[in-house]
Amino acid sequence: MTSPSVRAGALTQQQAAVAVTAPAFVPACPGAGKTHVITSRHLQSPRRLLRQGRALISFTRVARDQMARRCRQAGRADLVQAPHFIGTLDSFLWEFLVKPRRAAEPVPRLLESWASIKAPVEGVDREISLHRFPMTLDPSPIPAREAVAWDKLDYDTRQLIEASACSQQTWQEKIFATRKAWCEQGYFTGHEARVLALWNLRNPEAATALLGPLRSRFAEVVVDEAQDCSAADLAILQLLHDAGVPLVLVGDPDQAIYAWRGAEPQALHAFAARLSPTAHPLTGNWRSSPVICRLAATLRTGQRPPDTSVVRDDDDIPVLLLPIQFATSGSRHLHAPTGTGIVDAFRTLAEEYTVPAENCLVTAYKYATLPGITREKPNTNTITSLAWARTVAHTPDASGDDLTRACTIAVRVLFGYWYPGETGGPDRIMATHRLSAGQVNRTAFAFLHSLPPPHREWAPQVWQAMKAWPALPGAAPQGSKGRPAGKPTISRPQAATGLRTNTVHQLKGDQADGVLLLLPDAGSVQRWATADPATDEVLRIWYVAVTRARRLAAVALPEQETDALARLLTERQVPVRVA
């Protein structure tokens, strides 16, 4: 049982963070109860109507919904309504720093990504969708500098670009021209919202028009998961701080795993120091056992002592090290001692410690490493996305989020065929033809469910099904426009073990009783032992992975490196078992 003093100390830290006056920085370890602290702070707001409210901002809709749900469960539905605001950073920037300066027509719309609409880059020697080109944004110059992140292209897109007769410069010009055309029609993504927010805050006339209402409405702005802030995000927050908007940042710099868009621990530390000279740390971990806390401490900066396990100090399951013969395909990773598949081996070991398979997850840095991947990979081509969507439609226990995404993909494909001459996203086409969301989604799901199982020559069958499917009102197909082409990358069904699988980047905010981290690359132990997490993002990714675990953390690595990691962790007082 946890000692009363340990629990009291963790509660005292939380209470101090709840009461701290803005501006402030609250560094919070994994499992520290950040959402509890933020919503508790919000719940202290008086019930009477206020002229000023509070903005609670996170980076995901899951976190947004969780904060709103807790307010409603506490009987404070008023706290999710104006003058308060609970939402993502994208939606905050859009609603308060971008949309007020946009023309009413065409109606400005914030997209989750360019994948939400059919936006091909044209005028070059091949057609590639706009969403497959990630952008970078350097906020230092004025105006901020944008560029295509050529080194972040997915494999398929990189192959298409390398086979193109057009130069990268030509492609970049066409990419920006395509993006500009869609913006002129009122469509923007979070990236464009940041570009415009920076411009508006740096423009005296626009800043005056925006900041007055913002300061009047919000007594403070709380930013959750602040370590995920990009360089552009921090630049925007700095401008808000300089303009007198009270900020409270809550986050863990050790979990900064989005370096490709400028999220770095040093940048957050520097901004936090400017925000407030005194931090208000949360070091009580309400999620993980002491063993996992000690394991996590070996993967973070500063050689700080392990965080304090608040609720699981009697759970002493050692860290499991699994010697593995890794293959290039995730489904063929074999547990060296038994010759069984990696997932089956982990399941058996977890059951020894009464950790059920349904409370376990398997994770890795890359999709290609994972066994039985079931999620849609980002930036895939249309036929591969549709194959994933069809698989979801035939999965009895598919999540609501996956079903929504699957229907969105099917709608985009069907609308591209039925309404080839119409610009804009599905929402605009639906409004034009007076189609209800329920009608469209039922049609999309029925279409997906009717498709045969994906295979390498699947596209012609999909095309025949599209032509035969009863069209919605207003459809006007034009020959072969909208025809999906290519060969889908087939996702294997999830292994029948019941374990969840996903990449580390997709697990932020998630947790499980047991977590298996796959480290297939040679040299991982050397990296663990000598690299600096302050500058090596891979170590921070591993840190995020192991801290998702409540009771059992396991690491799978090449069998020739297992003993070296066992020695390293033992030297650092982490109990291990090679199994």
Side-chain angles (χ1 to χ4, degrees):
M1 291 291 293
T2 303
S3 69
S5 60
V6 168
R7 192 179 185 90
L11 288 172
T12 299
Q13 286 186 335
Q14 288 188 339
Q15 291 162 359
V18 168
V20 65
T21 301
F25 174 53
V26 180
C29 75
K34 293 188 292 78
T35 303
H36 170 75
V37 167
I38 292 170
T39 52
S40 295
R41 184 180 183 89
H42 197 35
L43 287 168
Q44 289 185 345
S45 302
R47 287 184 179 273
R48 61 183 175 83
L49 291 177
L50 297 176
R51 182 169 182 266
Q52 283 192 308
R54 177 182 286 108
L56 306 185
I57 301 170
S58 191
F59 281 81
T60 67
R61 287 174 294 180
V62 172
R64 173 202 66 189
D65 294 345
Q66 186 179 16
M67 291 188 289
R69 183 169 58 253
R70 290 192 181 190
C71 290
R72 292 190 180 98
Q73 289 172 344
R76 296 297 307 275
D78 59 301
L79 295 180
V80 302
Q81 303 166 357
H84 306 290
F85 174 86
I86 300 179
T88 63
L89 180 60
D90 282 9
S91 62
F92 177 83
L93 299 179
W94 177 253
E95 290 295 331
F96 302 109
L97 298 179
V98 177
K99 191 177 178 181
R101 302 290 294 176
R102 306 306 304 171
E105 293 293 338
V107 177
R109 301 174 188 271
L110 180 66
L111 304 174
E112 183 177 342
S113 80
W114 290 117
S116 302
I117 60 176
K118 187 176 65 174
V121 177
E122 298 174 325
V124 278
D125 59 354
R126 59 203 60 214
E127 185 178 294
I128 304 177
S129 296
L130 181 60
H131 76 275
R132 296 174 70 174
F133 295 99
M135 300 280 192
T136 62
L137 177 61
D138 180 0
S140 302
I142 301 176
R145 183 183 300 115
E146 295 181 88
V148 176
W150 296 108
D151 59 329
K152 301 301 180 183
L153 297 182
D154 64 89
Y155 176 80
D156 290 340
T157 306
R158 187 166 62 250
Q159 293 292 102
L160 289 170
I161 294 297
E162 289 176 355
S164 172
C166 300
S167 66
Q168 281 191 355
Q169 180 61 35
T170 299
W171 271 100
Q172 181 153 298
E173 290 172 359
K174 296 298 183 182
I175 290 165
F176 280 108
T178 301
R179 197 267 303 267
K180 179 181 178 183
W182 282 103
C183 289
E184 289 174 346
Q185 295 184 50
Y187 290 96
F188 304 87
T189 71
H191 175 86
E192 288 73 43
R194 284 160 174 77
V195 174
L196 293 170
L198 275 171
W199 191 93
N200 286 338
L201 290 174
R202 288 168 170 173
N203 178 283
E205 179 184 354
T208 299
L210 293 168
L211 290 170
L214 195 67
R215 285 192 296 260
S216 177
R217 175 164 176 174
F218 297 120
E220 71 178 24
V221 174
V222 183
V223 182
D224 186 20
E225 301 288 4
Q227 76 278 352
D228 292 341
C229 286
S230 66
D233 296 336
L234 291 179
I236 292 168
L237 293 176
Q238 181 69 63
L239 290 166
L240 293 179
H241 173 65
D242 293 343
V245 177
L247 299 178
V248 177
L249 268 60
V250 183
D252 181 3
D254 293 311
Q255 294 187 63
I257 60 172
Y258 296 99
W260 67 271
R261 60 188 184 93
E264 293 286 356
Q266 300 93 323
L268 178 58
H269 280 302
F271 179 70
R274 294 193 297 270
L275 195 68
S276 172
T278 304
H280 301 269
L282 300 175
T283 59
N285 188 323
W286 298 74
R287 174 192 300 153
S288 301
S289 71
V291 171
I292 295 170
C293 289
R294 290 203 289 274
L295 173 66
T298 69
L299 285 167
R300 67 184 186 188
T301 58
Q303 296 184 336
R304 287 171 286 143
D307 297 317
T308 302
S309 178
V310 179
V311 295
R312 299 182 183 277
D313 65 352
D314 58 346
D315 211 336
D316 57 357
I317 301 174
V319 175
L320 299 183
L321 303 184
L322 279 63
I324 301 296
Q325 297 172 356
F326 282 97
T328 55
S329 171
S331 63
R332 294 197 297 271
H333 301 328
L334 297 179
H335 182 229
T338 63
T340 60
I342 189 173
V343 173
D344 289 332
F346 178 52
R347 177 190 176 112
T348 300
L349 290 166
E351 288 175 345
E352 287 186 28
Y353 296 100
T354 67
V355 178
E358 59 267 24
N359 289 331
C360 290
L361 62 85
V362 180
T363 188
Y365 183 9
K366 299 177 182 179
Y367 275 100
T369 306
L370 288 172
I373 189 69
T374 61
R375 291 192 178 271
E376 182 197 18
K377 297 181 182 180
N379 300 323
T380 53
N381 57 28
T382 297
I383 197 67
T384 293
S385 292
L386 195 63
W388 174 85
R390 189 270 179 197
T391 300
V392 169
H394 283 263
T395 301
D397 58 349
S399 69
D401 286 344
D402 280 353
L403 287 169
T404 298
R405 177 64 185 151
C407 285
T408 298
I409 291 168
V411 168
R412 190 171 67 241
V413 171
L414 289 171
F415 277 20
Y417 170 56
W418 284 337
Y419 309 101
E422 300 191 31
T423 59
D427 55 346
R428 192 167 291 180
I429 294 173
M430 288 163 61
T432 299
H433 298 283
R434 298 183 179 180
L435 305 173
S436 70
Q439 176 188 19
V440 169
N441 285 329
R442 285 192 298 271
T443 298
F445 183 82
F447 171 73
L448 285 175
H449 207 270
S450 74
L451 294 175
H455 53 88
R456 295 296 288 171
E457 303 301 328
W458 191 52
Q461 290 181 292
V462 172
W463 176 236
Q464 292 303 318
M466 290 171 63
K467 291 191 294 182
W469 199 258
L472 291 173
Q478 297 177 14
S480 62
K481 287 188 177 181
R483 176 176 181 171
K487 298 179 184 297
T489 300
I490 309 300
S491 296
R492 295 178 300 274
Q494 183 167 333
T497 59
L499 275 68
R500 292 180 290 138
T501 60
N502 216 330
T503 62
V504 180
H505 285 86
Q506 298 298 320
L507 292 177
K508 292 291 290 291
D510 203 350
Q511 56 185 312
D513 282 350
V515 173
L516 172 63
L517 171 62
L518 309 186
L519 302 182
D521 298 328
S524 293
V525 177
Q526 179 69 12
R527 188 172 207 155
W528 196 313
T530 62
D532 182 2
T535 56
D536 191 335
E537 187 187 42
V538 172
L539 292 186
R540 300 197 297 271
I541 290 171
W542 297 350
Y543 174 82
V544 169
V546 300
T547 56
R548 302 308 93 195
R550 288 188 285 259
R551 299 184 56 219
L552 169 64
V555 180
L557 66 166
E559 56 181 323
Q560 63 270 25
E561 298 201 11
T562 309
D563 289 342
L565 183 57
R567 288 193 299 270
L568 172 65
L569 295 180
T570 300
E571 290 170 0
R572 300 188 184 183
Q573 288 75 54
V574 180
V576 299
R577 172 191 169 191
V578 178

